[in-house]
Amino acid sequence: MDKPPPEAEAASPALVSRTAFADADEQAAALRGWNQSYLQLSRGAFGGEVRQLEFAGLRLFVESLRESVYQTGKIREGALAVGLPLQLGGPSVFCGASSDAGALHVFSGASGFEFRSSRSHVMLGLELDEAAWRRCGEHDPALQASLGAQAGLRRLDAAAQAGLRQCLTGVMDAVEAAPDLLRSPAVRADMVDTVMAQLGRVLAPAQTGRPQAGGAAQAHWALIRRARELMHAQLEQPPTVLALCQQLGVSRRTLQNAFQAMLGVGPLAYVRAVRLNAARQALKTATSVTAAATHLGFWHFGHFAHDYQQMFGELPSESFRKFH
């Protein structure tokens, strides 16, 4: 039997919380390891809320502020923390630069960060511990060093940022609505894989090109063949892209380039196709559509139904009725 993916083995219990605050100091302490202090600047009764989800070395959060505060902090060494504004009720300044909804906020860095929020401010954030940050290290090492060394704003691809924003809020909403989803190792692994893929697109959009000739093309085909063998040997729980990279001993960027050059799709799209086909087989014996989907790691059932219909021309519920 194949060994389960490392991220599934090391998965710690998920922590889900949603806390309202009427004191700025108490809210500043809500994000453990950020060493924050908040100084309220605008006049009025302070109000705020922090939603958090922690699992597998990731922390997702949404922080709301109802008054302007001056924040200072310093992320723990080795971690990466980024944020995307969801709401800006006026001007705000991050590390000396004017902030807006289109900027990626990088909180991590040896020098710490400073932030003056607007009076009505909502920030979506992602923090990776050192091990999880290394797992996302398919982008350029110089970029990784820059993002990890200095807090500040980054002007990056708008479509990729929108994808990351939708991904993070989707994961949080899904787990808040159904916390038992994270009991499934396949769901946890797929969530981590999805978040890492979206973060990779933001930090270093994948470069695509024409298939290469000669030795490069043969190397790509050999890598794809080995990846396919690993996937199809574990059809009941196909490995995530992260697990594939670890088992193959290559970076995510290398695997992405091979699949894109040879097959015209990335490894994540290929893994999802494998899982969709496995889900169709599972529907023949499963007790429900939900049971089949969750077993294969699908956690957003609306997306699952859409992707399934796009792949097979019918909804999974229609397949279930037909098979039974």
Side-chain angles (χ1 to χ4, degrees), residues 130-253:
E130 189 171 3
W133 176 218
R134 285 200 304 268
R135 292 202 300 266
C136 190
E138 80 279 6
H139 47 271
D140 185 85
L143 179 60
Q144 181 171 353
S146 171
L147 288 172
Q150 183 64 48
L153 296 178
R154 300 293 187 274
R155 300 290 174 177
L156 301 175
D157 181 77
Q161 285 195 48
L164 179 63
R165 185 180 293 111
Q166 183 179 19
C167 169
L168 299 185
T169 55
V171 170
M172 291 196 69
D173 291 345
V175 174
E176 282 190 335
D180 284 348
L181 279 174
L182 288 180
R183 292 182 181 275
S184 166
V187 168
R188 290 197 304 268
D190 184 69
M191 284 183 171
V192 172
D193 207 25
T194 302
V195 170
M196 292 301 192
Q198 290 291 347
L199 182 61
R201 292 188 185 103
V202 168
L203 299 182
Q207 298 179 356
T208 60
R210 297 179 180 177
Q212 300 181 30
Q218 291 301 315
H220 281 166
W221 273 121
L223 182 58
I224 289 172
R225 184 171 60 251
R226 290 165 57 206
R228 288 183 65 254
E229 289 171 352
L230 288 171
M231 291 182 204
H232 290 273
Q234 305 174 54
L235 280 179
E236 288 191 358
Q237 188 179 318
T240 64
V241 175
L242 288 173
L244 280 175
C245 292
Q246 290 165 349
Q247 293 176 50
L248 294 168
V250 298
S251 70
R252 187 164 190 150
R253 170 58 61 84

Side-chain angles (χ1 to χ4, degrees), residues 5-24:
E7 65 267 27
E9 284 185 334
S12 57
L15 301 176
V16 184
S17 64
R18 186 169 190 154
T19 310
F21 297 93
D23 181 86

Side-chain angles (χ1 to χ4, degrees), residues 3 13 36 100 115 146 291 319:
K3 189 177 181 181
Q36 293 190 110
D100 59 57
F115 184 30
S146 171
S319 297

Side-chain angles (χ1 to χ4, degrees), residues 263-283:
L263 301 182
V265 298
L268 184 59
Y270 187 88
V271 169
R272 288 189 180 276
V274 171
R275 290 168 56 232
L276 282 170
N277 279 270
R280 185 172 177 84
Q281 293 298 317
L283 285 172

